[in-house]
Amino acid sequence: MTVDTEADTALKDLVNALQRSSQQIEDLLASNARIEKRLNALENWTQLKDLGELARLCTIDHDANIDYRFIDSVDFVDKVFEVEKINKSDLFKHLVSAKDGTDTSGERALPLVSVSIGSGNYQKMLKRYFFAGKIFCEGKKVLDSCSGAGWGTFILSQYARKIISYDREPQMIEHCKQSWNTNKVAWVVDDALAPKDHLGTDFDVITSMEAIEHFTEEEGREYIYNHQNVLKSGGVFILSSLFPYTDEQARTSPVLKMEGHKYLWTREKIKMELEKYFSKVKVMSSWIVMAQK
């Protein structure tokens, strides 16, 4: 009996010890989870602060200048976008609530509608405009060429002093006037290959977002010439499109099969063409090209 009693007591003590150990482990895991959460929050806050400072310094110290060392980094574009998503949260609400009165092909779709979100293209659509707006357009006179549905112009208007935004289709311009209420933008019907004199010749920044692929190679050359001609000295021309590395990639790209697309410039070809008129040219990945006069 004594042996059994001692064994039972020892077993109970062991069970109690294991239960205490188990509880201690759970408490430790919970504590570690809380600490990890706090560390992550602190890290995110610090990173966000650093990113905000980086974006601010880039604008202040390198005003409309493509020499800044981060300016050709896709990672930098992402960081600017993360900061501006918070700084311009009301703008996102406006984009979400906007009505898509354009088409359903995706070519002129809004960034925050199902066709854009479903394709995964919406972030890229937004990033190029927030990058151009924050880094180059603050307080500037801007020309947004081939502006389509106008949401990109509206993003730029949150930064620019004044914008002239044009498209060749009158119904698109009427849609923009009704959809984007801002006194900073003059919506104009115009032709990229035969621009009217009323556009002016003193722009600080010209944006060309997903436009040049809608022209043939020869038309693209004319398009570049026409726009560099209305950009003042020191001004910046920003183009986004797909700029493949090789001619073969350009000829076989699925992008070229999309409706209205006529020609894809390679990275090297677009750089060489822009260097005819601009003193500095930077190509960011295969996506954004910046040229300074």
Side-chain angles (χ1 to χ4, degrees), residues 190-208:
D190 210 342
D191 187 338
L193 301 182
K196 300 180 180 67
D197 292 338
H198 63 242
L199 288 180
T201 58
D202 59 343
F203 292 99
D204 300 299
V205 180
I206 297 177
T207 53
S208 169

Side-chain angles (χ1 to χ4, degrees), residues 8-216:
D8 288 343
T9 301
L11 183 59
K12 289 179 181 179
D13 290 343
L14 179 59
V15 170
N16 290 334
L18 288 174
Q19 288 176 339
R20 288 195 298 272
S21 297
S22 177
Q23 186 60 50
Q24 289 172 352
I25 290 171
E26 288 182 8
D27 292 344
L28 184 60
L29 289 173
S31 177
N32 285 344
R34 289 194 297 271
I35 292 172
E36 184 178 3
K37 186 176 180 180
R38 291 177 63 186
L39 287 174
N40 286 338
L42 180 61
E43 182 181 357
N44 289 339
W45 181 86
T46 303
Q47 183 184 37
L48 188 61
K49 182 181 176 184
D50 290 344
L51 295 180
E53 184 69 8
L54 185 61
R56 185 187 68 81
L57 288 174
C58 188
T59 301
I60 292 174
D61 296 340
H62 303 271
D63 193 20
N65 192 319
I66 68 171
D67 282 339
Y68 190 61
R69 63 191 179 94
F70 292 111
I71 217 75
D72 57 351
S73 165
V74 173
D75 183 55
F76 179 71
V77 176
D78 292 342
K79 290 174 180 176
V80 171
F81 180 62
E82 290 305 315
V83 172
E84 293 307 287
K85 273 200 302 186
I86 296 173
N87 290 342
K88 304 292 184 182
S89 57
D90 288 343
L91 173 56
F92 274 82
K93 294 176 185 177
H94 194 105
L95 291 172
V96 169
S97 63
K99 294 182 179 179
D100 192 1
T102 56
D103 60 26
T104 58
S105 68
E107 271 299 290
R108 292 179 179 271
L110 297 172
L112 297 177
V113 295
S114 57
V115 65
S116 304
I117 295 173
S119 68
N121 196 39
Y122 72 101
Q123 286 202 38
K124 202 168 185 179
M125 294 169 71
L126 292 168
K127 285 177 182 179
R128 64 194 185 213
Y129 277 105
F130 277 99
F131 168 70
K134 174 62 180 175
I135 302 305
F136 292 107
C137 295
E138 286 191 318
K140 302 297 182 180
K141 183 179 179 182
V142 178
L143 175 65
D144 189 22
S145 68
C146 306
S147 54
W151 57 267
T153 300
F154 188 68
I155 291 174
L156 296 179
S157 74
Q158 309 303 302
Y159 303 93
R161 171 175 53 86
K162 177 182 179 181
I163 300 180
I164 293 180
S165 180
Y166 79 84
D167 193 89
R168 69 179 181 178
E169 298 183 15
Q171 66 269 29
M172 289 306 307
I173 292 301
E174 285 304 312
H175 171 75
C176 291
K177 288 178 180 178
Q178 296 173 19
S179 300
W180 312 111
N181 183 24
T182 171
N183 57 12
K184 286 187 178 182
V185 180
W187 302 99
V188 176
V189 178
D190 210 342
D191 187 338
L193 301 182
K196 300 180 180 67
D197 292 338
H198 63 242
L199 288 180
T201 58
D202 59 343
F203 292 99
D204 300 299
V205 180
I206 297 177
T207 53
S208 169
M209 306 303 193
E210 310 301 306
I212 197 167
E213 68 271 19
H214 292 268
F215 303 110
T216 65

